[in-house]
Amino acid sequence: MTHYDYCVVGSSAAAAGAVEAIRSVDPSGRLAVVSEERVAFYSRPLLTRVITAGASAEDLAYRPKGFLEENRVEVRLGARVDAVDHENRRLLLSTGEELSYGRLLLATGSAAKVPPVPGRDLAGVHTLASLADAQAVAASLGSSGGSTGPRTRSAVVIGGGLIGLQGAEALREVGLEVAVIEGLDRPLATVLDRDTSTLVQEVLAANGVTVLTSQMVKALRANPSDPARVGSAVLGDGRELQADVVILATGVQPRTELLKGLGLAPGRGFPVNSHMATPWPDVYAAGDAAEVSDLLRGGARPFPIWPTAYAGGRVAGLNMAGQQADLPGQVAMNTFHFFGLTVASAGIVEPPADEGCEVLTAGPPPGRGPDAHHRKLVLKDGRLVGFVCVGEAIDRCGLATGLIRQQVRVEGFRESLLKDFGLAPWPEEIRSKYLSREGILS
Amino acid sequence: MKRVYVKQEVCIACRLCEVYCTARHAEGRDLIGAWRGKGARPIPRIRVEENRPFSAAIQCRHCAEPSCVYACVSGAMRRLSDGTVQADPARCVGCWTCVLACPYGAISRGVGDRPTAVKCDLCPGDAVPACVAHCPNGALEMVQTAETRGSQGGVAG
């Protein structure tokens, strides 16, 4: 049995943050990364490039060649961790190997939810959460129908969240007819306000991607000329849409199966403190699988976004290597692009009516296509708690993210933020802090 | 580790820092080439903010805890062993997560067919960055600070 001072399970953003943090403190401790994937440290948010541009694993590399060697990381790829024996500090791998660890990081990420729709096991039905998934979709586009059947012409995407819409855009870009089936009454409901999600829906429609809202898929049916493959999707209202390829994108859930003994409720992530330590000694967790504190709403929940994964992994790594570091309360943030429309959002973007938030908006109303620019600010108790920017209005929006994170009172200059995020109109006291040598970050 | 700081009390908003930053990052590294040459004119990586009587030039602070590096989804944004934070245009995909993450608003969206993130690079290879060298009023100063950690080091916050 091989002993490692540090074992990291997973090989995405949180794992990279941990590896880099550990090595900034401890250049020599033995460090292993165990991943069930065949490729480590690739950029998951760029997966659709495999479909649109035939991107290879190297094209998606998140860190330069030599990253593993330079950081003296010993990797176990294609190896799933089957069990964590936290009492004896051991990992049992699917390859039969056993490892012992000094400190362990569970950066197991999240898994795509598979809706219980009949026909989900047919060929041509995919999730889109990993490099292997994206490669399977790309292969599916080439293989559907074989030499005698109809070529791939139509796709159905189940779920109108970020992954679903990105998948839909990619499939449209390679020439397919694409319909997105969303159960709620608008796409991107968890990350965008209603106005902007309507704008996204319009831009998608103008580019040949139909989003059917308040709709469900009852069943996936086989292609009559190739019965092992999917051929159509039957909607809740009885309509049948041709579907030579189907992407299941109904959300993700934290992968916490390795610590079943904690009795976590389904959908919940690993509980961690501000050091990213779980209740089990020397076991840390970060990334989509961990529940971190929510700056704006209080409490803890998974923040399945890349920046939080990296930052959490980094804090875990520093603590694992013996430093003291704390992850601050997190704020959701996303940027996305659909057919030339650029959107950036952070924090609370569609506040419930009873929360006492105030909404300020500027720019032409949504509905003007990809050239639209638009800014929406959400304030509560004199502080900025969220914003959405479209098009050119995203410039310097990080200043607004900073105001949210630092919970700055913005009463005196809130109107200026609608026009330009620049700090010139801000009160001298705040401005000077930004310009000082100490700056605003620790 | 180089840092550039602004003395707002002596900034006169002449914007020569922007002009010389643009020139320094143009193909021929000169003013005439930048403005009258064939290529696209580079975006200045420093920006003068003005609200009379206040003015100050803002640029990347090369943070020890760089939010942009942590947020970057492609790995284009890195903190190098010399303590500078650099955007690699070859790896940048123009997703603008760094624009959303930078609390100083110091990262710009580039232009062109494949726009990439544009930020202060502290003029690699030059003893003094162009903005500092050409500020007529000493409003920008370069400071050497001790590097406390290696690449991607620092205490998270």
Side-chain angles (χ1 to χ4, degrees):
Chain A
M1 181 163 49
T2 318
H3 178 79
Y4 289 94
D5 300 298
Y6 312 99
C7 272
V8 174
V9 183
S11 64
S12 196
V19 165
E20 289 172 348
I22 289 168
R23 284 297 178 232
S24 74
V25 179
D26 177 357
S28 60
R30 264 190 105 172
L31 168 54
V33 166
V34 182
S35 174
E36 65 182 15
E37 295 197 63
R38 297 279 168 194
V39 176
F41 302 113
Y42 64 85
S43 294
R44 206 170 298 273
L46 308 184
L47 279 179
T48 55
R49 287 164 187 248
V50 174
I51 300 167
T52 56
S56 65
E58 293 80 55
D59 294 332
L60 298 186
Y62 174 58
R63 286 296 182 245
K65 263 202 176 104
F67 171 76
L68 297 174
E69 294 77 10
E70 277 163 30
N71 286 289
R72 289 167 306 287
V73 178
E74 296 175 50
V75 286
R76 302 282 195 287
L77 295 181
R80 194 181 59 244
V81 175
D82 280 337
V84 177
D85 174 356
H86 63 93
E87 277 167 17
N88 298 303
R89 297 177 191 235
R90 281 175 193 177
L91 301 180
L92 177 62
L93 309 192
S94 57
T95 51
E97 192 184 8
E98 266 190 81
L99 308 180
S100 67
Y101 62 82
R103 298 209 159 114
L104 172 68
L105 174 67
L106 299 173
T108 45
S110 47
K113 286 184 197 165
V114 176
V117 56
R120 62 185 178 277
D121 296 326
L122 289 164
V125 181
H126 305 276
T127 53
L128 188 49
S130 67
L131 182 59
D133 285 348
Q135 287 167 337
V137 172
S140 206
L141 297 179
S143 66
S144 118
S147 54
T148 52
R151 56 182 205 89
T152 307
R153 287 180 299 137
S154 296
V156 164
V157 175
I158 307 182
L162 261 182
I163 293 175
L165 295 192
Q166 281 168 356
E169 182 186 36
L171 293 170
R172 181 65 194 149
E173 270 181 33
V174 296
L176 275 68
E177 296 295 320
V178 184
V180 178
I181 314 302
E182 167 57 47
L184 299 175
D185 66 350
R186 62 190 182 98
L188 298 174
T190 59
V191 289
L192 272 191
D193 62 313
R194 182 168 292 277
D195 284 348
T196 315
S197 62
T198 304
L199 173 61
V200 169
Q201 193 173 350
E202 287 166 4
V203 168
L204 290 170
N207 287 280
V209 174
T210 311
V211 181
L212 300 173
T213 53
S214 305
Q215 191 58 263
M216 54 147 339
V217 173
K218 250 187 344 200
L220 297 171
R221 284 195 183 144
N223 182 341
S225 62
D226 186 357
R229 282 196 69 86
V230 69
S232 65
V234 184
L235 306 190
D237 61 10
R239 261 184 292 175
E240 187 167 357
L241 303 180
Q242 189 184 331
D244 305 308
V245 63
V246 170
I247 292 180
L248 306 175
T250 54
V252 294
Q253 58 190 358
R255 292 193 57 185
T256 56
E257 64 268 20
L258 281 180
L259 284 185
K260 278 199 187 97
L262 282 177
L264 299 177
R268 299 301 302 261
F270 293 125
V272 292
N273 62 16
S274 64
H275 301 325
M276 308 305 288
T278 70
W280 288 356
D282 293 321
V283 179
Y284 294 75
D288 288 10
E291 294 203 348
V292 296
S293 82
D294 182 334
L295 179 74
L296 299 172
R297 298 224 185 259
R301 65 177 178 93
F303 275 74
I305 55 173
W306 194 270
T308 292
Y310 184 93
R314 172 174 176 72
V315 167
L318 289 172
N319 285 290
M320 288 164 75
Q323 298 248 320
Q324 276 261 354
D326 295 278
L327 187 74
Q330 295 293 295
V331 175
M333 54 189 263
N334 280 294
T335 61
F336 33 83
H337 310 265
F338 294 110
F339 298 107
L341 178 79
T342 299
V343 180
S345 71
I348 298 167
V349 293
E350 187 71 64
D354 58 357
E355 275 196 6
C357 291
E358 195 183 349
V359 174
L360 306 177
T361 57
R368 304 266 177 100
D371 294 330
H373 56 95
H374 175 74
R375 194 171 278 175
K376 168 180 178 171
L377 307 175
V378 181
L379 298 108
K380 191 180 183 189
D381 302 330
R383 295 181 169 89
L384 189 65
V385 294
F387 65 85
V388 181
C389 300
V390 177
E392 286 172 12
I394 79 162
D395 285 339
R396 290 184 300 287
C397 64
L399 282 154
T401 311
L403 291 173
I404 298 176
R405 283 183 168 157
Q406 301 186 60
Q407 304 191 281
V408 176
R409 300 200 77 92
V410 300
E411 287 108 327
F413 58 100
R414 44 183 245 169
E415 301 296 331
S416 78
L417 298 172
L418 280 177
K419 236 174 79 195
D420 187 316
F421 288 126
L423 53 72
W426 301 6
E428 162 65 22
E429 181 196 331
I430 303 172
R431 229 168 37 196
S432 293
K433 206 174 156 212
Y434 274 74
L435 299 174
S436 70
R437 290 194 181 187
E438 294 71 36
I440 52 160
L441 298 178
S442 60
Chain B
M1 205 163 56
K2 278 193 280 187
R3 291 284 179 280
V4 174
Y5 296 112
V6 62
K7 289 192 240 169
Q8 49 169 307
E9 62 282 6
V10 291
C11 172
I12 57 169
C14 66
R15 299 183 185 267
L16 283 175
C17 53
E18 295 181 3
V19 168
Y20 281 96
C21 177
T22 294
R24 166 63 177 77
H25 294 92
E27 220 176 285
R29 295 197 180 185
D30 70 315
L31 285 169
I32 303 298
W35 264 264
R36 311 200 61 161
K38 275 188 236 146
R41 191 162 76 220
I43 295 171
R45 295 150 187 245
I46 185 166
R47 177 185 149 90
V48 174
E49 295 249 7
E50 193 176 355
N51 180 25
R52 286 288 166 208
F54 165 82
S55 68
I58 315 279
Q59 69 208 105
C60 170
R61 304 285 300 244
H62 298 270
C63 301
E65 292 293 337
S67 300
C68 58
V69 172
Y70 301 166
C72 177
V73 304
S74 72
M77 199 69 83
R78 300 295 308 277
R79 185 164 189 264
L80 307 184
S81 52
D82 64 1
T84 66
V85 174
Q86 302 288 358
D88 176 359
R91 300 216 58 81
C92 178
V93 296
C95 74
W96 316 133
T97 309
C98 56
V99 172
L100 176 59
C102 173
Y104 292 97
I107 304 173
S108 301
R109 296 184 295 141
V111 292
D113 290 346
R114 206 183 70 81
T116 57
V118 175
K119 64 179 283 300
C120 166
D121 57 6
L122 286 173
C123 297
D126 300 1
V128 179
C131 55
V132 176
H134 292 93
C135 178
N137 228 20
L140 290 169
E141 55 178 342
M142 194 186 78
V143 174
Q144 288 277 356
T145 58
E147 169 64 87
T148 50
R149 294 194 201 222
S151 91
Q152 310 270 295
V155 175

